[in-house]
Amino acid sequence: MTAGQGASSPPKDYRLLVPRDWFRIDLTQDRWRGQLKTFVDRQAEGKNVRAEAKQEAWATLRNTAEAGVRGGALEFFLRPELDDGSIMPASLIVSLIPRTGSLAPQDLVSSFEVKERQQGRDSEVSTVGLPAGETVRVLTPTTLDLYVQMPGGVGYLVLAFAVPIAGVPGPMLRLCTSIAESLRWIV
């Protein structure tokens, strides 16, 4: 879809290209906890991972997914292979933040700048143009959050990347940006 086609109509869905080897968990289904457990078990398989580390990874990912579900998360993607031998993956949570009325990206930028300063986080807040629309970008050393304005002023689709071990800069930032640039609206 180009910017002119259906730009004022709310989308029916979205399409996002994520690398095939990333493990997808559908957070709209009740079986997501079992899928998450399967992922953690596969990550630990064949590695000399302490039971406590495995349990900690499971609890961290479960808490992340639960918080995401409470915040409107639709999908949870986990990058399976890690070079450092840990089982804490890079991840992407896709969430929907519906809005009644239009909240402009510049309003979000101002709000996020204040929030980031209050929390004392080392972050960069800006707007970027993606093929899917104007986007608010919040970058920290280990996270990249992209708030993509949906056509029709119905809200934002949030792509929240977390790279807890290696950090976002470098090749992971390019990969996350490529995934975000693949976002397309289905009208």
Side-chain angles (χ1 to χ4, degrees):
M1 175 176 114
T2 64
Q5 295 176 319
S8 61
S9 313
K12 294 177 183 167
D13 206 350
Y14 64 91
R15 185 180 74 224
L16 186 66
L17 300 177
V18 178
R20 187 181 318 233
D21 61 339
W22 285 43
F23 192 88
R24 179 184 178 270
I25 298 171
D26 184 347
L27 295 176
T28 65
Q29 303 292 321
D30 287 334
R31 63 181 185 269
W32 68 262
R33 285 179 183 80
Q35 292 174 332
L36 190 56
K37 180 80 168 98
T38 297
F39 174 82
V40 172
D41 290 343
R42 284 185 189 166
Q43 284 299 103
E45 193 174 281
K47 297 178 184 172
N48 190 15
V49 178
R50 296 182 345 268
E52 297 83 24
K54 186 175 165 182
Q55 182 60 31
E56 182 179 318
W58 155 247
T60 299
L61 293 172
R62 183 201 62 225
N63 291 343
T64 300
E66 286 175 347
V69 168
R70 284 191 303 274
L74 306 169
E75 298 179 286
F76 193 14
F77 293 92
L78 300 161
R79 181 176 180 222
E81 79 286 341
L82 295 172
D83 297 331
D84 67 356
S86 79
I87 62 172
M88 191 55 70
S91 66
L92 162 61
I93 292 184
V94 180
S95 304
L96 174 64
I97 301 177
R99 294 278 181 225
T100 56
S102 60
L103 181 63
Q106 282 305 326
D107 296 332
L108 278 182
V109 167
S110 300
S111 172
F112 287 142
E113 286 174 337
V114 168
K115 179 181 169 187
E116 295 296 310
R117 268 195 309 268
Q118 288 174 342
Q119 293 180 351
R121 294 193 335 181
D122 180 25
S123 61
E124 174 190 316
V125 181
S126 61
T127 58
V128 295
L130 292 179
E134 192 170 2
T135 301
V136 176
R137 176 181 182 251
V138 181
L139 177 66
T140 74
T142 59
T143 64
L144 171 62
D145 296 339
L146 298 162
Y147 296 78
V148 185
Q149 187 175 34
M150 296 173 67
V154 294
Y156 286 84
L157 191 72
V158 182
L159 308 176
F161 295 92
V163 187
I165 305 297
V168 174
M172 280 305 293
L173 179 58
R174 289 190 296 277
L175 176 61
C176 296
T177 301
S178 293
I179 292 170
E181 288 174 344
S182 78
L183 177 65
R184 298 295 186 269
W185 302 115
I186 298 171
V187 292

